[in-house]
Amino acid sequence: MKKIDILLGLQWGDEGKGKIVDVVTPDYDVVARFQGGPNAGHSLEFNGIRHVLHIIPSGIFHKDKINIIGNGVVIDPIIFEEEIEALVKMGLTPTDNLYVSKKAHLILPTHKLLDAAYESKKGKQKIGSTLKGIGPTYTDKTARVGLRVCDVFSPDFEAKYQHLIGQHKEILDQYGFDYSKMLPELDERWHQSLATLRSFTCIDSEYVLHEYLREGKSVLAEGAQGTLLDLEFGAYPFVTSSNTIAAGAFTGLGLDPHLAGKTIGIVKAYCTRVGSGPFPTELFDATGEELRRVGNEFGATTGRPRRCGWLDLVALQYALMVNGVTDIALTKADVMSDFDTINICTAYRVNGELTTRMPAATDAQIEPVYTTLKGWKTDISGCKTYEELPSEFKDYIHYIEEQTHTPVSIVSVGPDREATIFR
Ligand code: GDP
Ligand code: IMO
Ligand code: MG
C-alpha cells in the first residue's frame, strides 16, 4: 500500500501552500483537498499569470493529474462554478480530472448571512472571518442538520433545503438581520450553480483513495488555512472551524492513519495573519509595512491587508509537534532581501515568565524574545540552486533547521513555479 503525503501550512495561513502544491504535483498522481472551503485563497503562478483557487485543489493545472475535493471540505456551489468557469476559459476541462466527495457539506446562501450576523454581534471578540459561511456550515455539520453533495441528487433535495433555510431565517430574525433584499438573489444564483456541481463526477472519495493507494498511485493531501488557525490548537476562538493539522487529512479524506508518509510543512520566512487574534511577533512599524508592501501581503480571498511580523519559533515548534512534519518548505525569504538584520522569536515572556510553550489563554500578555541574525542584502529571487544562495541566508536556514530538527527541503524565492529550489 502506498503512503499518502500531506502538505499544510504551519502558521496562520497564506504561507504559500498553493504555489508549493503546484510545484510538487508532477511527483504525484492525485491531489486531494481535505478541509476548509472558500475561505482559502491559494495562489500559484506560471507563464507570468497568477491564479487563485479557493475550493479546487492546487494540482488542477496539471491536466494529467487527478484532483479530489474531500469529504472534509465545505463547498459553496456559486464559488465552485466561478472557479470552474475560470479554468474552462483557460482551456482546461476540469470535468475530466476533478472529482468531488459525495460527503462534502454544502455552504447555503444563509450560511453566509449567518456568518455576517454572528460577526456583527461579537464586538471585540470579532474573529475577522472571511464571511464565506464556513463557521455556520461546519456548525450545521456537527449539529447533524447540514446538506451534503450527495443530497443534490436526491428527489427531496429542495424540501431539505427549504427546511434548513427556514431554520436559518429564524436565527437571522432573532439577530435582527435583514435578509429580505440579499437572500432572493443569492438563492436564485445558488440554485443555478448546482447544475455545474451536478455535472461533476461525485465519488465516495474514501473508497476511491484507498483503491488508488492499493494500486500504487501517489497521493498528496492539500491543507488549507494554517496550523495556528486549527479549531483545536489555534488560539481559540480566533480560529477557523475545521482541523487544519495533519490529523485532519485522515478525517477529511477517510484515510487510515497508518498510511502517513511525508508531511511537508509550509513556513513563510516571516509571519502574517489576517483577521483578529493573538500575534506575538506582530510589527506595527516601518518593518511591518515593508513586509506587507514587498511581500504583497493582501488577502487572496478578501483583499484585506495582512498583519505582518517576525518569524515565531515558539509557534513553529508547536506546529511541528502537532503535525509531525518531516520536511519544511520555506517561502518568501526573498521579501527580506533588503533587511540589514532579521529577528527570530525564540521564546515568550508570558506575564513576566520565560517560556517556549504556547499559552492556552488568548488574553495572555506575550512579549517575544528575539535572536537577531544578519540579513543577506542580496536579491535571491533569481537563484536557481542552493549553492548560489548567499551565506547569510544559508545561516538563517541552518538556524531554523538546528532549532526545529527538521530539514528545509524546499526553498521558494518568488511566486513563480520556476522560483523554487529543491535540496
Ligand atoms: P496559500 O494560501 O498558503 O496558498 O498562500 P497565498 O496564495 O494566500 O499567499 C501567498 C502569496 O505569496 C501568494 O501571492 C503567492 O503568489 C506568493 N508567494 C508564494 N511563494 C512565494 C515566494 O517564495 N516569494 C514571494 N515573493 N512570493 C511568494
Ligand atoms: P489559506 O488557505 C489566512 C482566517 C480569517 C479569520 C479566521 C476565521 O488561504 O491559507 P473563517 O472564514 O474560517 O471563518 O475565518 O481564519 N482565515 C484565513 N487566514 N488564510 C486562510 O486560508 C484563511 N482562512 C481563514 O481571516 O481570522
Ligand atoms: Mg491564502
Side-chain angles (χ1 to χ4, degrees), residues 14-18 41-43 50 306 332 334 412-415:
D14 307 327
E15 298 90 349
K17 298 175 290 293
H42 294 179
S43 329
R50 180 171 187 249
R306 295 174 180 151
K332 302 196 83 161
D334 55 294
S412 169
V413 292

Side-chain angles (χ1 to χ4, degrees), residues 171-218:
I171 307 172
L172 289 167
D173 287 337
Q174 282 168 19
Y175 272 77
F177 190 94
D178 180 12
Y179 49 81
S180 59
K181 285 200 189 70
M182 270 178 279
L183 189 53
E185 201 185 308
L186 269 175
D187 187 75
E188 193 188 341
R189 180 86 185 81
W190 195 88
H191 278 89
Q192 283 166 355
S193 68
L194 287 181
T196 300
L197 184 60
R198 286 195 183 105
S199 72
F200 276 79
T201 307
C202 297
I203 58 168
D204 293 301
S205 55
E206 61 281 30
Y207 278 116
V208 171
L209 282 165
H210 273 98
E211 271 160 33
Y212 284 158
L213 294 169
R214 211 171 296 125
E215 287 165 10
K217 286 199 169 75
S218 52

Side-chain angles (χ1 to χ4, degrees), residues 3-7 20-22 24-25 28-34 218-222 253 262 264:
K3 301 272 185 197
I4 175 165
D5 290 349
I6 302 169
L7 185 151
I20 304 295
V21 170
D22 173 61
V24 301
T25 294
Y28 295 90
D29 299 304
V30 183
V31 180
R33 258 285 292 274
F34 60 87
S218 52
V219 179
L220 178 70
E222 174 181 0
L253 295 172
K262 273 201 298 193
I264 307 166

